[in-house]
Amino acid sequence: MDAQPLYDLAPVAWLLGMGVLLALGPLFWVWRRHVGEGAGRRLQALTVLTLFLTFDLTLFGAFTRLSDSGLGCPDWPGCYGNASPVGARHEIAMAQAAQPTGPVTHGKAWVEMVHRYLATSVGFLILVLAAATWVVRRRERMAPRGNHARALSAWWPAATLVWVCLQGAFGALTVTWRLYPAIVTLHLLGAMVLLALLCIQAVRYGQAAQSRMPVPLAPGLRALLWFTAGALALQIALGGWVSTNYAVLACTQFPTCQDSWWPPMNFSQGFEIWRELGTASHGAPIEFAALTAIHYVHRLMAYAVFALIGLLAWQLLRQAPALRAQAHWLIGLALLQLATGLGNVLLGWPLVAALLHTGGAAALAVVLTWTLCESRRAQATVPARRAAGLAAGKVVEP
C-alpha cells in the first residue's frame, strides 16, 4: 500500500505558481520602461505599480464579497483540493445542484480563485520589492550617491512584506471560518493598511527623486489632518461591519430610517464582535434592531467624517497651496462617497454603487496618507517661541 501524504501541497504550489506568473508581467513592464535608469528609479516605479495593483485587488476583493463569492471555493488554498475550479467541477456541480442559489457555483468559484491568484501576485511583487531594496541598499553603502532616487530604508518594504503575509492569513481565515464578520472586517482594514504602507514608500521615493521636502503645516492643521485620518479609519471599520453583516438595507430611507430619526436599535447585539454571520453570540438569529444599529451608527459617523474632510480640504486650500491637488482629491472623493452611500440606501444596494463606495474609501485612505507624507508640522517661529517662553517664565534667545 502506498503511503498517503499528510497534506497535499499541490494546490499551494499551483497557487504560488499562478501568482508568480501573473506578477512577471508587471515586473517585465517596469524593467522595459525604465531600462538604463538607476535602481532607485526602478524601485520607485515598481512601488507605484504595486500600489495601483493593490488598489485593484481591494476592489476585486469587494466584488468577491458583494457577489457572495467568498465561499465559492469553501476550502483554502485550493478549490476542493484542486488548483482551480476546472479540477473541482464535479464537486462544484454537486454543491450547485443541492443549492442552486447557494454560495458554491461555477461562476462564484472562479471569482474566488481569481481573487486568490491576484492576491498571490501582489504578494510576490512585494516580496521582490523587499528583496531588491535590501540588495540596492547594500550596494549604496559602497557607492556614491547618484542622480536618481535612492532606495528607502529596507525596513519599509520588509514591514510591508510581513503585513501582506498577515493579510494572506486573514484571507484564509475568511474562508475556513465561514465569513466571520470580525475576520472579514479585519481583512478589509488590513487592505487599507497595506495601501497606506505602499503609498508612504511611493511618496518617499518621489520626494527623493525630486529633492522635494514636505510642506510645513501649522500645528493645528497638522493635528486636524491626523484626526481626520483616524476618523476615516474608524468609519471604514464601521462600513466593513455594515457590509459583512449585510446591514445596508436595514435603513432604506434618507435622512430618516424606518420613518424615524431614531429607530429601534439593539446596540449591544449589533456590536458583539466575536460571533458567526447572522447569529448572536448565544446562537439565536440576530435581531433586525441590531442590524439597524449597525447601519445607523455608520450613517451618523459618516456625517462627522464628511464634515471633517470638508473642513480639512478648505483649510489646506487656504493655508497650504502646495497641497491643492490633495485638497481637490479629498473634496471629489467625499462627494463620491456621499453619492454612492445614498445610492446604496435608496437604490437597494446596487453592485456598482457598493463597489464605488469601497473604492472611494480606499482612495480616501491613500490620499490622506499621501497628504500626511507630503506635509510636516511647522516649527514655531522665534516670536512665537519667545511668547511661549515668557508665558512659562523663561527667557528664550532669538
Side-chain angles (χ1 to χ4, degrees):
M1 179 186 295
D2 295 332
Q4 295 294 321
L6 294 177
Y7 188 77
D8 185 7
L9 296 177
V12 178
W14 275 101
L15 183 65
L16 292 176
M18 183 62 71
V20 171
L21 185 63
L22 290 174
L24 289 178
L27 287 171
F28 180 74
W29 183 84
V30 168
W31 179 77
R32 287 287 299 169
R33 186 175 178 83
H34 300 281
V35 64
E37 298 184 2
R41 182 67 185 90
R42 290 197 298 272
L43 284 174
Q44 178 191 11
L46 183 57
T47 303
V48 173
L49 182 59
T50 304
L51 171 61
F52 174 76
L53 294 176
T54 303
F55 184 86
D56 293 343
L57 175 63
T58 302
L59 284 183
F60 197 84
F63 174 75
T64 302
R65 181 179 73 255
L66 293 167
S67 61
D68 293 325
S69 302
L71 295 179
C73 289
D75 54 335
W76 193 92
C79 191
Y80 288 98
N82 294 275
S84 77
V86 173
R89 54 185 178 272
H90 175 67
E91 291 85 351
I92 295 172
M94 291 182 61
Q96 189 171 352
Q99 290 183 286
T101 60
V104 179
T105 66
H106 289 284
K108 292 178 180 179
W110 273 110
V111 170
E112 170 64 10
M113 287 307 298
V114 168
H115 177 59
R116 296 182 195 180
Y117 299 148
L118 295 175
T120 308
S121 68
V122 167
F124 182 73
L125 289 174
I126 292 173
L127 173 62
V128 172
L129 273 174
T133 304
W134 277 102
V135 172
V136 172
R137 290 291 291 179
R138 186 173 181 180
R139 290 176 180 173
E140 285 178 349
R141 295 191 186 99
M142 300 179 289
R145 185 167 184 171
N147 295 325
H148 300 290
R150 302 179 70 194
L152 294 176
S153 168
W155 292 110
W156 276 111
T160 308
L161 178 60
V162 171
W163 192 264
V164 79
C165 291
L166 289 174
Q167 269 295 90
F170 272 108
L173 290 175
T174 296
V175 176
T176 56
W177 287 26
R178 299 295 186 266
L179 305 181
Y180 254 65
I183 297 296
V184 179
T185 302
L186 286 174
H187 194 47
L188 172 65
L189 290 175
M192 300 300 162
V193 173
L194 185 59
L195 287 170
L197 286 169
L198 289 167
C199 180
I200 291 169
Q201 294 167 70
V203 173
R204 295 302 186 215
Y205 271 123
Q207 290 171 338
Q210 302 173 19
S211 299
R212 187 177 70 250
M213 297 297 294
V215 178
L217 296 181
L221 181 53
R222 181 71 174 172
L224 176 62
L225 177 55
W226 273 109
F227 187 76
T228 304
L232 177 69
L234 176 59
Q235 178 65 351
I236 291 174
L238 290 172
W241 195 242
V242 171
S243 180
T244 56
N245 282 281
Y246 296 89
V248 175
L249 299 181
C251 296
T252 56
Q253 298 171 318
F254 184 85
T256 59
C257 174
Q258 301 168 19
D259 295 318
S260 173
W261 289 101
W262 194 258
M265 290 180 278
N266 186 336
F267 292 98
S268 60
Q269 190 180 95
F271 291 93
E272 286 177 335
I273 302 301
W274 202 248
R275 55 176 174 76
E276 295 184 11
L277 177 63
T279 65
S281 58
H282 50 77
I286 190 170
E287 297 178 4
F288 188 73
L291 299 178
T292 304
I294 294 171
H295 178 111
Y296 211 63
V297 168
H298 178 62
R299 183 185 292 192
L300 293 176
M301 185 66 184
Y303 300 146
V305 173
F306 186 82
L308 280 171
I309 291 175
L311 176 62
L312 174 63
W314 176 53
Q315 290 298 325
L316 288 174
L317 290 172
R318 286 183 64 248
Q319 301 184 37
L323 299 177
R324 183 178 299 272
Q326 288 88 336
H328 288 160
W329 272 105
L330 288 173
I331 294 170
L333 289 171
L335 292 175
L336 174 67
Q337 287 301 90
L338 175 63
T340 54
L342 289 175
N344 284 330
V345 171
L346 300 178
L347 301 178
W349 203 16
L351 180 60
V352 172
L355 283 174
L356 286 174
H357 201 59
T358 301
L364 277 171
V366 170
V367 172
L368 282 174
T369 304
W370 176 26
T371 310
L372 283 166
C373 292
E374 289 284 16
S375 62
R376 62 177 175 82
R377 188 177 186 273
Q379 299 296 322
T381 62
V382 172
R385 285 190 285 114
R386 183 182 292 122
L390 290 174
K394 299 178 180 178
V395 177
V396 179
E397 296 295 333

